[in-house]
Amino acid sequence: MSVTIIDVAREAGVSRTTVSNVFTGKDKCSEETRLAVLAAAKHLGYKPNLAARSLITNQSRLIGMILPSYVDPNTLTSSPFYNIIMDSVYSVLRNEAYYDLIIFPVQYKEKLVQVSDWIDARNVDGILAVGEFDRNFLKVLKSKSIPVVLIDNYSQTSDANFSYVNSDDTTGGYLATQHLIEKGFRNIALCSVELHGPLMQKRYQGYKRALKEAKLRETVFDKTGVPFEAGIQYAEALIAQGLDAAFCTEDMIAVGILHGLLKKGVKVGEDFGLVGFDNIYLGYQVYPELTTVDQNIFEKGETATRTLLNILNHSNSTGSRLVLPVNLVEREST
Amino acid sequence: MSVTIIDVAREAGVSRTTVSNVFTGKDKCSEETRLAVLAAAKHLGYKPNLAARSLITNQSRLIGMILPSYVDPNTLTSSPFYNIIMDSVYSVLRNEAYYDLIIFPVQYKEKLVQVSDWIDARNVDGILAVGEFDRNFLKVLKSKSIPVVLIDNYSQTSDANFSYVNSDDTTGGYLATQHLIEKGFRNIALCSVELHGPLMQKRYQGYKRALKEAKLRETVFDKTGVPFEAGIQYAEALIAQGLDAAFCTEDMIAVGILHGLLKKGVKVGEDFGLVGFDNIYLGYQVYPELTTVDQNIFEKGETATRTLLNILNHSNSTGSRLVLPVNLVEREST
DNA sequence: CTGAAAGCGCTTACAG
DNA sequence: CTGAAAGCGCTTACAG
């Protein structure tokens, strides 16, 4: 019913091999026949069937993205970070013919096995894993023998050896805290959610170092739950404990604290210094605008996608391991 | 190299037809053989190859989602609306074996032709089109003869006749404006971006009706561009023109106005009434929290996905045309 | 530069 | 309830 390569071959008066060659660009044929084939294809409305192609080449032209949505059931909704990553992936994929993205938001940690089946069933060509996944899961990925690029993962062992793109999280924590100190704040809290995670630990290390250098004491707030809500709660505790500044390991927490502080009539930026981390849009949409550590999420996603595509398209590519720089964006909250 | 149906058949001592039957659940076989096949499959680590299956059944188990990202290059990033929709789609798809979502963010209106090719190449089983697309494009979709569900589209002609899920936008505009009037505001502006679009026109109609009933005069602000930035600019104009309230056709605009107003020292909620539309999380993350019209985006996405799946799984389903109710959420900005 | 043939992994009539 | 056969639309050696 649909128009196939055979129809095109007949119409153009060539064999199907030739038609195939024209479309895959594998074998060169005379410019004349090439044009004839293209004309015939266009005339008949022929489009290669990717499933058939996939069956024989064993390439799906599908990139699988894995998101740990067990951290938050509605990952895409609650965390702008992932949206930016997605947009950046599409911005790169748009220029690559026939590549599509399929996403597996992992609802429960226990369901990581399902991801394995999914990878097999869809036969994805490569994987973009965003966020923290433990070693066992990385082993599973390794067993697939397909290219993998990790974003923000710190559990890699030497035997996994995947390409990755991270940010300089420790420096980020350091810069944020140092900035607060320079601004004259002395009682600086660290506000986090799930601080035990490897990534948050890095940011925490930066905070610690800055405080140590300035001979200041650390105060840590940590809990599990929704970052924004945690921030709301931290605001009260911050006031109660007489702290005058906070470095938040995520912008979302800072936005919550800002909300809580404003409600209490605290003049954020003057009487209280607040710094976030990520530089999501939200940070400059609120008022006063949030000082934060910019990790250039979009570039991170682009870089990771390009890295993956590189490995995919050039079998000799060894991939790459990158740590992107980070920088402080001073706005109104400090 | 990979384990196929043949290997399983051999291991289980049955024909491949039987193995296929077990996995597709088409033909019933003895419970005994079924178990044997399953055991063999598990033992060998067999997983059906979707590409091969797709080739023969002409079903890809892929749902195509089309987003008009020509409105905004980084749609997912800039508009929380789409993220919520995506999350809702995944929440439904998770319970459907082997369905995946692929997305086509349409960068330029001119590239709508590419979408057509994409649909053919990937052979998507059904389409979810989110946002406004013109009639010509709907015609193209129609020509594919696959199920389509529209979300927030108002350009459908009777010959297209697709299923859709919309919200009661007119009532929403009415409720928002009426609320401001009840709160005692009299100089109520309508603030929009690309007001000429059919959806915004609906919300505008509601605003008009409420004003007319109260015998108040309308003041319209409209421009093209990023909603948040537009809001920032509107804030100045609002003050300059002595208006004391605004109904925004999107929360994002309201957040911008809020930002601009706060910067000018205006006490929003007391001296100025502000109402948004959508009820995205951002609205209660800012301070003061935004009064808005809730359109339950998540449910909208779920409903649309279920509708599509229904048509896909039950060929006798005729789909459905739904207009979801909308309701006012009063918070601190009014 | 082009054609005939095999085959990717599966499903689906059709016989038994 | 089960098996042998055809074929989905394509690519890829292999001859010519």
Side-chain angles (χ1 to χ4, degrees), chain A residues 258-274:
Chain A
L258 181 62
H259 188 118
L261 252 25
L262 290 175
K263 194 165 235 155
K264 291 283 181 187
V266 176
K267 286 188 177 148
V268 177
E270 291 178 36
D271 303 338
F272 195 97
L274 190 60

Side-chain angles (χ1 to χ4, degrees), chain B residues 13-258:
Chain B
V14 299
S15 76
R16 23 184 173 159
T17 307
T18 306
V19 177
S20 177
N21 283 337
V22 168
F23 276 91
T24 52
K26 279 276 160 59
D27 218 358
K28 45 218 134 199
C29 58
S30 70
E31 186 64 10
E32 204 182 333
T33 31
R34 209 181 70 84
L35 257 31
V37 167
L38 254 26
K42 185 162 189 184
H43 178 226
L44 297 172
Y46 168 75
K47 277 133 205 171
N49 178 321
L50 293 191
R53 186 179 275 184
S54 168
L55 188 56
I56 191 111
T57 62
N58 201 27
Q59 282 184 64
S60 60
R61 290 260 160 186
L62 246 25
I63 289 182
M65 182 154 121
I66 309 172
L67 306 178
S69 83
Y70 45 82
V71 173
D72 212 315
N74 298 116
T75 303
L76 266 18
T77 301
S78 60
S79 176
F81 177 84
Y82 295 97
N83 312 327
I84 303 177
I85 292 288
M86 282 196 60
D87 264 329
S88 68
V89 173
Y90 282 121
S91 80
V92 174
L93 252 38
R94 242 190 299 284
N95 304 315
E96 296 285 321
Y98 299 128
Y99 267 113
D100 274 290
L101 181 73
I102 57 177
I103 300 179
F104 198 111
V106 187
Q107 278 286 293
Y108 308 100
K109 231 170 184 159
E110 302 74 44
K111 302 225 168 166
L112 283 169
V113 234
Q114 292 191 347
V115 180
S116 173
D117 288 353
W118 175 74
I119 292 171
D120 294 337
R122 280 296 176 192
N123 192 27
V124 297
D125 290 347
I127 294 198
L128 239 34
V130 190
E132 190 59 29
F133 295 97
D134 63 28
R135 291 166 185 207
N136 286 330
F137 182 64
L138 296 186
K139 261 185 201 160
V140 172
L141 289 189
K142 193 73 190 173
S143 73
K144 304 295 175 195
S145 350
I146 52 174
V148 173
V149 177
L150 266 23
I151 293 180
D152 282 354
N153 185 291
Y154 285 105
S155 300
Q156 198 171 190
T157 50
S158 52
D159 58 309
N161 196 31
F162 291 133
S163 289
Y164 62 75
V165 183
N166 286 335
S167 291
D168 191 351
D169 293 295
T170 312
T171 301
Y174 181 77
L175 290 177
T177 313
Q178 200 188 35
H179 172 72
L180 284 168
I181 296 169
E182 270 170 17
K183 283 287 181 173
F185 298 106
R186 289 293 168 265
N187 300 302
I188 306 169
L190 175 104
C191 297
S192 189
V193 162
E194 315 246 6
L195 183 58
H196 54 87
L199 182 136
M200 294 312 169
Q201 281 294 315
K202 297 266 174 189
R203 296 176 186 177
Y204 178 36
Q205 294 314 320
Y207 162 81
K208 273 180 118 148
R209 207 179 80 213
L211 284 191
K212 198 173 182 184
E213 283 179 15
K215 299 194 166 47
L216 294 174
R217 224 187 32 167
E218 63 173 271
T219 314
V220 174
F221 289 86
D222 182 36
K223 69 195 297 289
T224 59
V226 181
F228 175 76
E229 305 296 343
I232 294 274
Q233 291 175 30
Y234 291 160
E236 300 233 8
L238 254 13
I239 296 173
Q241 297 186 28
L243 291 151
D244 61 3
F247 159 51
C248 303
T249 56
E250 298 171 54
D251 279 348
M252 269 309 194
I253 300 171
V255 170
I257 291 179
L258 180 64

Side-chain angles (χ1 to χ4, degrees), chain B residues 80-81 84 251-252 277-284 292 297 331:
Chain B
F81 177 84
I84 303 177
D251 279 348
M252 269 309 194
F277 203 115
D278 283 347
N279 196 18
I280 54 178
Y281 288 176
L282 188 50
Y284 73 72
T292 191
I297 306 171
R331 291 198 281 237

